[in-house]
Amino acid sequence: MTHFLLPLYSLPLKNQQIRRAYRNLITKAHPDKGGDAKTFALIQRAYDVLSDTDKRKQYDSTGTYSKSVEEELLDSFGGGVFRDKLNEENQRKESVAEAIQTVEKNKGSHTSGFEAFMRSRGDSVASFGVDDIINQFGVVKGSYDEVQLPKIKAYEVNQPAGMKVVAGHEKEALRVETTKIASTLQWGEVLVSVRVAPMNAHDIYEDHMSFITSNYGNDASDANVHKDSMLNPRKGAFENNMNESNERKIPGSDCLATVVKVGAGVKSLAEGDWVIPYVPNLGTWRTLAVWKEKDLIKIPKEMTSENHCAMMREMCVAYRLLEDFGALKPGDAVILNAGTSLIATVVCQLASMLKLRPILVCRAHPGFEKTVKWLKSLGAIEVFKDEGDLGAELEEKRLFAKPRLALDGVGGISAVRLAETLHQGCPLIVYACASGRAATFPWHHWVGKGLIVRGFSLRNWMKENKKKTPKMMETLAKLVNANKIAVEYTEYELSTEFDEALEHACEKHRKTKILLKITDIGSTVDENDK
């Protein structure tokens, strides 16, 4: 960027002269006039430095300048395309001429033909190494030294066998107990100390009707939906956390934990490392746990607060929903339901920083006007009740540029309302289904509007993008540390305040995330204690 600074740098520190010189350069480099998009972007960034008094002084002294966290987000998000609209278009579009030349060059090539054959084989030609064999078949006990663990009774939340969690009677089914931890670590296992674990509604209710009743009351009349048309959000859950009677034992999917001991065969983790779950439903509402190394992700220690690290999965979902879908550019509108959820509020704040226009949709409730003020303070341009015709409401507010991305965390008729507002051919992304109801879209959405519906799972994304995950988390941590992302939360001690935490977590229309903090892990076991 230095050579673009020079024509401007020799000028006195007068904004008018700098701007005139900038206009001369930027006009010549404009892509619409045959210039190069990258050169155009570099000139723009040079002007950003020299037109800012503090940045220019820093450049005079050091030859470099510091970026704010918002500038880092703009540079990194979507490969930097949000820094410049024209640059975005050039990065997204491949030259037809170059594509034709590439095809012609490779036509008939033995190498290109073999590469095409290998690509067509997909995963069937994936390498199969020692680690894959161990993961599939395990390691014979006795062929390695087991790591002995101290005799400790740890706290954990248990659900008695055969008892379901019913809305309004949660305390009867979920209770804190003490249980002895495992005596040894097997191959590939680690002992972790859970520091913070969020409480989500889908962690509490295993039965889909109880889940829906808790979240949406007793009214299941949306579009006259019946039980058999509802999804079971708990189906298949807790596969890592079931006893032989197929009853759920310990709830919880997210947490921040510290590695205390590592077993034989553990390669990427060490004592003291910070980790979060890589797979769902490990049962995180406990103080100590023995988990497999492959089921955890190591994160930079103290990159941000423990509480925010425990909520990192939901923040990452928000980040990916904006970056991966919709081919967005500054000024575009994004509409999403479940407006008071953590994911929605983080989407709202990220969208605002990226100069997008977030529109949030929430269920009606007595304190709705206060909710509107709160969400607008986070960057929402409008907040609507999840009812009626949202498209008509947008027109009434004179928001004629229809949203180019819809994000659905509710399902059912709420998802259909979002689809009604979308611009022709733009996508609706389903990342959750809080209502437990599958969305059924009218035929004219598919035919007339060219509706595109896709699903998103962060954990599936991480399987394919392990190298990108740390950078994403680092970006989010910087924004949190700079107070650019605000998340409301309330802490409770797991061992002594669980009942109060559970009651708070089951409240409707709350605007705070409930966190189980852990300072008391349990007690040592008496030698005579069986």
Side-chain angles (χ1 to χ4, degrees), residues 255-371:
C255 73
L256 170 73
T258 304
V259 176
V260 179
K261 287 279 187 182
V262 297
V266 174
K267 297 178 180 179
S268 61
L269 298 178
E271 293 180 11
D273 284 347
W274 280 19
V275 293
I276 60 177
Y278 180 63
V279 298
N281 312 311
L282 282 178
T284 58
W285 294 3
R286 61 174 102 182
T287 57
L288 293 173
V290 173
W291 290 329
K292 293 185 179 295
E293 176 192 25
K294 65 183 180 66
D295 293 339
L296 302 169
I297 299 176
K298 178 182 176 180
I299 65 174
K301 193 173 182 180
E302 298 179 355
M303 67 177 182
T304 187
S305 73
E306 291 182 353
N307 290 345
H308 287 98
C309 287
M311 298 181 283
M312 185 58 70
R313 179 189 64 82
E314 291 172 285
M315 290 194 282
C316 288
V317 170
Y319 188 98
R320 295 257 59 88
L321 288 173
L322 282 180
E323 183 167 37
D324 293 351
F325 301 104
L328 301 170
K329 60 182 182 298
D332 286 344
V334 178
I335 189 167
L336 58 159
N337 53 21
T340 58
S341 68
L342 189 150
I343 291 174
T345 56
V346 174
V347 165
C348 180
Q349 292 170 83
L350 287 172
S352 180
M353 283 185 274
L354 294 166
K355 311 304 180 187
L356 298 170
R357 300 186 302 143
I359 301 167
L360 271 58
V361 180
C362 313
R363 283 175 291 155
H365 57 276
F368 186 77
E369 291 306 317
K370 290 183 179 179
T371 298

Side-chain angles (χ1 to χ4, degrees), residues 346-513:
V346 174
V347 165
C348 180
Q349 292 170 83
L350 287 172
S352 180
M353 283 185 274
L354 294 166
K355 311 304 180 187
L356 298 170
R357 300 186 302 143
I359 301 167
L360 271 58
V361 180
C362 313
R363 283 175 291 155
H365 57 276
F368 186 77
E369 291 306 317
K370 290 183 179 179
T371 298
V372 171
K373 290 181 181 179
W374 169 54
L375 294 176
K376 285 190 174 182
S377 74
L378 298 180
I381 63 166
E382 286 295 342
V383 181
F384 296 116
K385 293 178 181 178
D386 198 350
E387 59 189 31
D389 185 346
L390 293 179
E393 291 203 49
L394 288 174
E395 290 185 8
E396 187 178 332
K397 294 284 186 178
R398 305 188 68 79
L399 298 173
F400 298 117
K402 293 186 175 182
R404 291 186 172 270
L405 176 65
L407 304 175
D408 173 39
V410 176
I413 193 65
S414 181
V416 178
R417 291 190 187 105
L418 294 186
E420 285 281 4
T421 70
L422 276 173
H423 190 277
Q424 178 98 7
C426 289
L428 180 145
I429 310 302
V430 179
Y431 66 90
C433 190
S435 71
R437 300 164 187 158
T440 302
F441 299 98
W443 69 270
H444 67 268
H445 282 187
W446 304 108
V447 177
K449 293 175 69 75
L451 178 64
I452 300 168
V453 179
R454 294 183 59 185
F456 175 74
S457 164
L458 179 69
R459 289 184 170 98
N460 288 343
W461 182 89
M462 289 193 296
K463 287 179 184 178
E464 300 174 0
N465 298 275
K466 285 186 177 180
K467 292 182 179 179
K468 294 181 181 179
T469 301
K471 178 63 178 176
M472 172 178 61
M473 291 184 178
E474 181 185 345
T475 299
L476 288 165
K478 285 182 178 180
L479 292 169
V480 168
N481 295 339
N483 297 318
K484 300 300 179 182
I485 292 180
V487 179
E488 301 284 341
Y489 57 82
T490 306
E491 302 173 357
Y492 294 92
E493 176 68 31
L494 182 144
S495 61
T496 59
E497 300 176 320
F498 177 74
D499 284 352
E500 188 179 352
L502 182 60
E503 184 178 343
H504 196 173
C506 294
E507 283 183 9
K508 296 178 184 178
H509 314 304
R510 56 180 168 80
K511 296 185 289 187
T512 181
K513 175 68 75 174

Side-chain angles (χ1 to χ4, degrees), residues 68-80:
S68 67
V69 290
E70 294 100 323
E71 289 173 326
E72 289 187 11
L73 177 67
L74 288 171
D75 284 342
S76 63
F77 202 88

